[in-house]
């Protein structure tokens, strides 16, 4: 289990600059080593903090054609719905970089539009298995779970990550790769989500959190004083919490500010 690193930034701007640098370094490492970089996105504010990747020196130097994009969680709706994490990422990031369309793995379009959470989760797991069989996604040691290169995650004020919410059973799933929820406390209610073992098998996990509404859960997650799902985040190689000062404000004895 990788130890959690924390970096506190004075502003969201500085967080975005460092997030771009971190992502670009990993892109270069994995593209060199494997010729492929598997990136998992979440919804929420995270997408708005990826803007620096769209600018020089990254926009022109990143090997976008080698990126493969997945979602750690998705709202069960149509691709053009205002709730869609795919739409959020497409409009704010993916439409502005040359990642090939065939390397972008969104929720099944029809099942999403129909609102069929259970089948959409099964279909997404099948999609991951197919990418494992094609050696696009690696597997974690002998466990057989998929191992993504980098996951970019966010956390809600209640401490949820992906669509794993406190007090809901999905966090305890140990076999499936993708599961679903139909009574999410954060709207919309129907979602699909990676399970905890899959999330924690990633090589690198970034948890990016800003604003004071999240401060209590950041402190709880990082000191494991409360059962918050994000407190169970780990990774194979490294997990890094990217925080702004407001989100870090309840952490005791905090000193290292970038
Ligand atoms: O679909 C979703 O709702 C997200 O993937 C969710 O897990 C998000 O990452 C957190 O809720 C943080 O969201 P904010 O960054 O907007 O607080």
């Amino acid at each position: 289990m990788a130890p959690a690193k924390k970096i506190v930034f004075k502003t969201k701007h500085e967080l975005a600059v460092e997030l771009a640098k971190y992502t670009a370094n990993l892109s270069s490492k994995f593209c060199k080593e494997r010729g492929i970089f598997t990136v998992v996105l979440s919804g929420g504010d995270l997408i708005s903090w990826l803007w620096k990747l769209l600018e020089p020196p990254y926009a022109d130097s990143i090997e976008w054609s080698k990126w493969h994009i997945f979602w750690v969680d998705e709202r069960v709706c149509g691709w053009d719905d205002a709730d869609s994490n795919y739409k959020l990422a497409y409009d704010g990031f993916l439409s502005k970089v040359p990642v090939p369309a065939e390397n972008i793995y969104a929720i099944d379009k029809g099942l999403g539009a129909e609102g069929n959470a259970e089948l959409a989760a099964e279909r997404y797991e099948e999609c991951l298995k197919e990418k494992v069989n094609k050696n696009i996604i690696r597997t974690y040691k002998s466990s057989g779970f998929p191992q993504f290169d980098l996951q970019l995650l966010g956390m809600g004020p209640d401490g949820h990550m992906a669509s794993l919410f406190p007090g809901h059973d999905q966090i305890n799933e140990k076999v499936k790769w993708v599961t679903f929820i139909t009574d999410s406390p954060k709207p919309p209610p129907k979602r699909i989500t990676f399970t905890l073992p899959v999330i924690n098998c990633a090589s690198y996990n970034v948890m990016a959190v800003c604003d004071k509404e999240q401060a209590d859960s950041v402190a709880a997650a990082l000191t494991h004083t409360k059962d918050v799902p994000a407190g169970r985040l780990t990774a194979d190689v490294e997990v890094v919490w990217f925080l702004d000062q407001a989100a870090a404000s309840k952490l005791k004895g905090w000193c290292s500010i970038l």
Side-chain angles (χ1 to χ4, degrees), residues 3 6 24 33 71 74 82 85 145 212 218 237 243:
K6 292 147 262 177
E33 286 172 12
W71 275 265
E74 177 59 287
N85 282 345
F145 280 113
K212 62 176 187 333
V218 166
V237 180
L243 305 169

Side-chain angles (χ1 to χ4, degrees), residues 29-121:
K29 166 186 156 63
F30 283 104
C31 290
K32 200 177 298 157
E33 286 172 12
R34 313 181 54 222
I36 282 178
F37 185 40
T38 55
V39 180
V40 178
L41 301 175
S42 57
D45 290 337
L46 188 266
I47 300 300
S48 68
W49 301 327
L50 299 180
W51 59 267
K52 184 66 188 166
L53 287 166
L54 307 173
E55 293 188 353
Y58 307 115
D60 303 330
S61 59
I62 286 179
E63 294 180 87
W64 298 107
S65 64
K66 296 181 176 165
W67 281 40
H68 289 255
I69 304 283
F70 302 83
W71 275 265
V72 73
D73 72 335
E74 177 59 287
R75 293 92 181 273
V76 182
C77 57
W79 285 4
D80 55 358
D81 194 294
D83 279 332
S84 163
N85 282 345
Y86 164 76
K87 177 176 166 52
L88 180 76
Y90 186 81
D91 291 349
F93 180 57
L94 296 171
S95 60
K96 301 168 201 267
V97 289
V99 175
E102 63 271 23
N103 293 3
I104 298 176
Y105 311 105
I107 189 171
D108 182 272
K109 199 174 184 177
L111 294 171
E114 259 171 47
N116 194 330
E118 184 169 7
L119 268 188

Side-chain angles (χ1 to χ4, degrees), residues 41-49 71-75 83-85 88 152-158 160-165 184 186-188 191-193 207-211 214:
L41 301 175
S42 57
D45 290 337
L46 188 266
I47 300 300
S48 68
W49 301 327
W71 275 265
V72 73
D73 72 335
E74 177 59 287
R75 293 92 181 273
D83 279 332
S84 163
N85 282 345
L88 180 76
L152 298 171
L153 307 170
M155 184 191 75
D158 60 355
H160 79 262
M161 64 175 175
S163 286
L164 302 176
F165 291 90
S184 159
K186 176 179 177 180
R191 290 147 171 268
I192 61 171
T193 179
M207 175 59 86
V209 189
C210 292
D211 299 327
Q214 267 88 332

Side-chain angles (χ1 to χ4, degrees), residues 37 72 89 112 170-172 246:
F37 185 40
V72 73
Q170 286 76 10
I171 187 88
N172 301 316

